[in-house]
Amino acid sequence: MIAGLIICASLTAVDGDTVKCDGQNMRLLGEGVPFVSGIDTPEVGSHAKCVKERKLALIAKGRLKELLAEKGLQIQWSGVLDKTQSHRPLVNIYRTNGEEIGKKLLREGFARTWSPRHPNDWCDG
């Protein structure tokens, strides 16, 4: 498969950095480089390491849900799948003004920069 535009009849937030497009989970890349850089948001439910992370995850998911409700979003697949068991496509979602949603979440404080060498700890501080 090659990178390109993805069309979704249904687009929902799974957590702060994962969306579901017609039943397929996809991971937000935030205009990063696959396996080098990207965005990270707190984990939901049992994946969270503490209560603080679980609460932050619900807030980040809520903000992503708001952004996904906008009309005219464009989903672009990077051509790469993540290394998790589910092999989620790594995508960027652009608003009609050209702003990428993952980068917006970073600017608004709902996400942090992701790097394989510096994992985020949402429970600290």
Side-chain angles (χ1 to χ4, degrees):
M1 297 189 349
I2 58 173
L5 193 62
I6 295 173
I7 306 296
C8 302
S10 171
L11 184 63
T12 58
V14 174
D15 62 23
D17 55 21
T18 304
V19 298
K20 190 174 292 255
C21 168
D22 299 337
Q24 167 73 47
N25 281 352
M26 299 179 174
R27 177 89 159 69
L28 297 180
L29 191 53
E31 292 187 329
V33 177
F35 312 118
V36 175
S37 64
I39 67 162
D40 182 42
T41 61
E43 298 296 329
V44 295
S46 63
H47 296 285
K49 294 178 182 160
C50 64
V51 172
K52 177 183 176 184
E53 182 174 14
R54 196 170 296 116
K55 288 179 181 178
L56 290 171
L58 292 175
I59 294 167
K61 179 181 176 179
R63 180 60 178 133
L64 178 57
K65 184 178 177 180
E66 290 173 356
L67 292 168
L68 295 179
E70 294 179 14
K71 301 291 184 203
L73 297 176
Q74 281 196 348
I75 305 166
Q76 293 184 352
W77 181 40
S78 66
V80 178
L81 303 175
D82 74 9
K83 295 179 180 178
T84 65
Q85 189 175 359
S86 59
H87 304 294
R88 300 171 294 182
L90 298 174
V91 301
N92 290 302
I93 302 177
Y94 293 92
R95 303 171 75 198
T96 56
N97 66 2
E99 183 178 37
E100 199 280 324
I101 284 181
K103 289 181 86 172
K104 181 166 184 65
L105 293 171
L106 273 173
R107 278 192 302 279
E108 293 180 347
F110 297 102
R112 293 180 184 167
T113 301
W114 175 87
S115 163
R117 289 182 282 158
H118 305 287
N120 286 308
D121 182 354
W122 296 94
C123 299
D124 65 355

